[in-house]
Amino acid sequence: MSPLRTRPALVALGATALLTASVTVPQAAAADRTSTTLAWYDATAETVAAAGASTQITNNRTWAISWLAAARATRSVPAGVAHGPYQAAALAAAVHRALVTLVPSRTEQLDATYKETLDAIPDGPAQERGVAAGERQADLVLQSREGDGLDPASVNAPYPVRPAAPGVWQPTPPAYAPAAQYGNRLAKPFVLATQSQFRLGPPPALDSARYAADLAEVRAYGAVDSQARSTHQTETATFWLGSSLTLYAEPLRVALSRTDRGIAGQARLVALFHVALVDTQIATSDTKYAYERWRPVTAIRTGAIDPDADWTPLHATPAHPDYPSGHNTYSGAAQTVLSALVGPRTAPFDLTSPTAPGVTRTYTTWKQLSDENVDARVFSGIHTRSADEAGITLGTDVARYVLRNAGRLLASR
């Protein structure tokens, strides 16, 4: 089977744009920048979808390690060897080595893809030296990330809930589950100097006009039985309900397939995207647990003017504080990396969502994704608009810092 194959795992994740039927690729073209990079992008997505971790940041870490190794291995080509074959071999070797180490249950499938890639590259010094470079960089990145606190148990480290008081986060209905993702703020970033480097200022005061407006908006538009929310707004909430890692898999693939920067540039794009997202999630939890702001459902039921003990959000509230919105920190970082590396606009592409079956939306800018995420979390009844907008700010700040330090990050070890 050609490396340009169909992508059933991505279909299951809700990604439909740019699907291609399995085709026969001439051997001379099979190792070019498009087929090699997209084959390993798809292999990474399939690996994470089939056997990834239970925590999103851990899966972003898998992407970041694999593709950071690939970006380092492909960044320069030794004198005297062909660029294309060397870089194709280096990318494949780096991603393969990292993935079979991190997700050993997928070794058989990854070995098959690896064989396809190497079979399409002429034997000789370019292939041999590319493989050696890729494996070396993978081993070095894996070693550097040992014990970084991004395993699922560390991510969900126990969090002692403070006694109930106005503004203080409490477990939320219906599950009243323990706090999640507290351990992110204790993890080792890839680029940030400290987890708190971009900690946001405090959320709006409980007695402020801004907070009153925020809560009134969520109360009206985010209730399960809202009479104010339109059908399209309900669809927006449902469309963006799922994992950000899942929802951004296809936009990143679209950007990857449309860049003309060659294998090294493509590897750099995927690496910087996921490194930025790991560090963004660390920074997100730092701010969340620094302020411990209660969720709208708690505020409306117990602390608002004219409390409504029966108010219920459209969607169940995640088990961590309101400020800032993690979906929106993710969106802000993703938009920043994509805009910087491939431009803010792109030809139209379609996107589907596993939480909104049958719905297809079309986009031409990365900012449209962020704008919808801001609205979606209000319409779901699970975040205030202030938390959403602050999330965009934080994600943007972290991603810009990662991009400014890309040279240091990508330097071969």
Side-chain angles (χ1 to χ4, degrees):
M1 182 182 295
S2 159
L4 279 175
R5 60 199 184 285
T6 55
R7 299 175 290 124
L10 286 184
V11 174
L13 287 174
T16 59
L18 298 181
L19 291 177
T20 56
S22 181
V23 296
T24 300
V25 178
Q27 189 125 95
D32 72 13
R33 66 172 181 84
T34 300
S35 60
T36 301
T37 310
L38 292 182
W40 282 99
Y41 185 89
D42 294 346
T44 309
E46 290 160 6
T47 296
V48 169
S54 57
T55 46
Q56 175 174 275
I57 194 172
T58 311
N59 291 325
N60 278 118
R61 174 187 186 267
T62 296
W63 277 94
I65 288 173
S66 305
W67 286 81
L68 178 56
R72 288 176 176 175
T74 58
R75 194 177 188 200
S76 60
V77 178
V81 299
H83 280 61
Y86 174 90
Q87 290 182 319
L91 184 146
V95 179
H96 173 266
R97 179 76 145 231
L99 288 179
V100 297
T101 302
L102 295 169
V103 194
S105 63
R106 295 289 293 178
T107 296
E108 181 180 354
Q109 295 87 346
L110 292 164
D111 283 352
T113 302
Y114 192 42
K115 183 177 185 301
E116 289 176 5
T117 302
L118 294 187
D119 283 350
I121 301 171
D123 293 336
Q127 183 189 115
E128 293 168 4
R129 295 181 71 175
V131 166
E135 291 180 346
R136 178 175 181 274
Q137 292 301 328
D139 290 343
L140 288 172
V141 178
L142 286 162
Q143 183 180 17
S144 74
R145 298 305 300 180
E146 288 181 1
D148 61 8
L150 291 172
D151 58 284
S154 298
V155 166
N156 288 321
Y159 163 74
V161 180
R162 290 201 290 134
V168 176
W169 183 82
Q170 300 293 305
T172 51
Y176 295 94
Q181 301 175 18
Y182 173 71
N184 284 0
R185 74 190 304 244
L186 310 174
K188 174 186 174 182
F190 276 84
V191 180
L192 295 182
T194 67
Q195 298 91 335
S196 62
Q197 183 174 350
F198 290 101
R199 182 179 293 174
L200 296 167
L206 297 182
D207 60 356
S208 67
R210 176 62 191 266
Y211 189 69
D214 278 344
L215 212 57
E217 181 184 29
V218 178
R219 185 171 188 157
Y221 286 90
V224 66
D225 56 355
S226 172
Q227 299 300 305
R229 189 180 60 243
S230 70
T231 300
H232 185 267
Q233 289 168 335
T234 301
E235 180 188 282
T236 297
T238 303
F239 190 93
W240 290 101
L241 182 62
S243 156
S244 293
L245 175 65
T246 298
L247 288 162
Y248 272 90
E250 187 65 12
L252 177 56
R253 191 183 194 277
V254 168
L256 186 68
S257 70
R258 295 178 182 182
T259 183
D260 59 359
R261 299 182 182 224
I263 285 179
Q266 290 179 310
R268 179 174 180 263
L269 170 62
V270 180
L272 291 176
F273 184 95
H274 285 285
V275 165
L277 265 305
V278 169
D279 280 14
T280 292
Q281 290 172 85
I282 291 171
T284 299
S285 288
D286 172 78
T287 293
K288 277 182 178 288
Y289 287 99
Y291 298 113
E292 303 174 301
R293 172 54 61 92
W294 62 4
R295 287 281 186 159
V297 63
T298 308
I300 293 171
R301 287 188 176 192
T302 67
I305 297 173
D306 188 22
D308 182 352
D310 296 322
W311 188 90
T312 300
L314 173 63
H315 294 126
T317 301
H320 42 76
D322 177 53
Y323 179 87
S325 160
H327 266 58
N328 283 289
T329 62
Y330 202 108
S331 290
Q335 177 190 332
T336 300
V337 173
L338 292 173
S339 296
L341 298 184
V342 300
R345 303 189 64 84
T346 186
F349 70 94
D350 290 342
L351 187 62
T352 61
S353 166
T355 54
V359 177
T360 299
R361 291 193 165 189
T362 303
Y363 302 93
T364 57
T365 72
W366 315 117
K367 186 176 184 298
Q368 289 172 299
L369 310 179
S370 298
D371 290 345
E372 288 192 6
N373 262 290
V374 169
D375 288 339
R377 307 310 268 177
V378 174
F379 299 150
S380 284
I382 58 182
H383 274 300
T384 59
R385 187 167 294 275
S386 289
D388 294 339
E389 292 174 349
I392 296 293
T393 297
L394 179 58
T396 300
D397 288 346
V398 173
R400 285 175 174 167
Y401 183 80
V402 170
L403 292 170
R404 287 197 302 270
N405 288 274
R408 173 171 59 87
L409 175 71
L410 298 175
S412 297
R413 287 353 188 219

